Amino acid sequence: MIDLHCHILPGVDDGSPDAETSLSMARHAAESGVTAIAVTPHCNLPGFRRNYRGPDYRPSNIRTLIEQHELITLGGSRYLLVEFDFGLPGSVLLRTLEAIAQRGLVPVVAHPERYDAVQRDPGLAAWCFSRGMLLQLNKGSLLGLLGSRAEDTALHLLSHGLAHLIASDAHDGRFRTTGFRSLLPVLEPICHPDYIALLLHGNPRRILRDEPIPIPPLQSD
């Protein structure tokens, strides 16, 4: 299994506060079968976090950063992990994603199930999917740790095959943790085994290799 959204780097954002916590998070991930983790600290938050060179981008000035070649993609690939403010209007979200795609990058939308606009209208996620943008669900959403609306939306997207990968979005070693073993009992009753393999390993590996992403398989009854 491969985790492409994880705040394991110590002391740079609201994730791991120190090296001891980071080592504990890495140990837990390895013990649960994770073989690779993308370190994705929050960045591009003017006035709060000015480390523009991280891979988990907020889109306040992302068009300028693209033009200035200031972005770090996942594993140096064409795939760019992008996170939005939860209350951002759907129209702004879609315009920003289109701007990224027009510049030759493939947006990987972090936890769409957590955005108010997608919770109200899951069709926004289908729009992104139809245009080749990737949708990354959070483990915590599917486990019910991030609110019932996020859980319901994540399950809706999964049941319609509208997700490309799942990541931990881990921030600590207690609540928002690394590893995926706790998630498998949730996935196995509702997802085809081939889909689970794509979500947790196949698609993340293709992203790191800068390879195309296949359409997820149809779900079984």
Side-chain angles (χ1 to χ4, degrees):
M1 294 180 279
I2 297 173
D3 187 1
L4 295 189
H5 187 175
C6 186
H7 298 268
I8 195 172
L9 195 65
V12 298
D13 61 7
D14 60 347
S16 171
D18 50 50
E20 183 179 358
T21 301
S22 296
L23 289 172
S24 176
M25 293 169 69
R27 189 178 302 112
H28 176 71
E31 290 172 350
S32 73
V34 174
T35 59
I37 293 176
V39 177
T40 57
H42 292 298
C43 63
N44 195 23
L45 295 177
F48 183 45
R49 298 188 184 96
R50 296 187 179 275
N51 53 321
Y52 291 154
R53 299 291 290 170
D56 182 3
Y57 288 96
R58 291 289 181 91
S60 58
N61 63 337
I62 202 163
R63 299 184 191 188
T64 300
L65 294 176
I66 292 172
E67 292 166 358
Q68 295 175 350
H69 305 286
E70 287 290 325
L71 302 181
I72 293 178
T73 56
L74 291 167
S77 69
R78 78 195 79 173
Y79 298 100
L80 181 71
L81 183 65
V82 185
E83 179 174 338
F84 295 91
D85 292 330
F86 295 144
L88 194 73
S91 58
V92 178
L93 185 151
L94 297 183
R95 285 201 303 271
T96 302
L97 293 174
E98 281 190 316
I100 294 170
Q102 288 170 1
R103 286 159 173 81
L105 297 173
V106 179
V108 180
V109 185
H111 45 64
E113 76 279 2
R114 301 189 69 191
Y115 304 135
D116 292 340
V118 178
Q119 291 173 355
R120 292 193 301 269
D121 180 12
L124 294 176
W127 182 94
C128 296
F129 185 96
S130 70
R131 283 156 177 79
M133 301 168 186
L134 305 190
L135 303 175
Q136 172 254 301
L137 304 182
N138 270 13
K139 177 185 78 169
S141 297
L142 291 163
L143 293 177
L145 301 177
L146 301 174
S148 59
R149 293 179 67 196
E151 180 182 12
D152 291 345
T153 305
L155 291 172
H156 173 85
L157 297 180
L158 270 186
S159 67
H160 288 79
L162 293 174
H164 297 85
L165 65 154
I166 297 174
S168 72
D169 194 6
H171 280 63
D172 54 60
R174 294 184 178 181
F175 179 65
R176 297 178 66 177
T177 62
T178 54
F180 295 108
R181 279 186 183 160
S182 61
L183 184 61
L184 294 178
V186 176
L187 296 179
E188 288 169 348
I190 61 174
C191 294
H192 191 282
D194 291 343
Y195 193 19
I196 296 175
L198 279 179
L199 292 167
L200 298 180
H201 181 71
N203 282 343
R205 181 180 61 182
R206 288 183 176 92
I207 289 170
L208 293 180
R209 293 179 176 180
D210 202 21
E211 297 174 350
I213 301 297
I215 298 174
L218 295 174
Q219 294 300 284
S220 58
D221 295 332

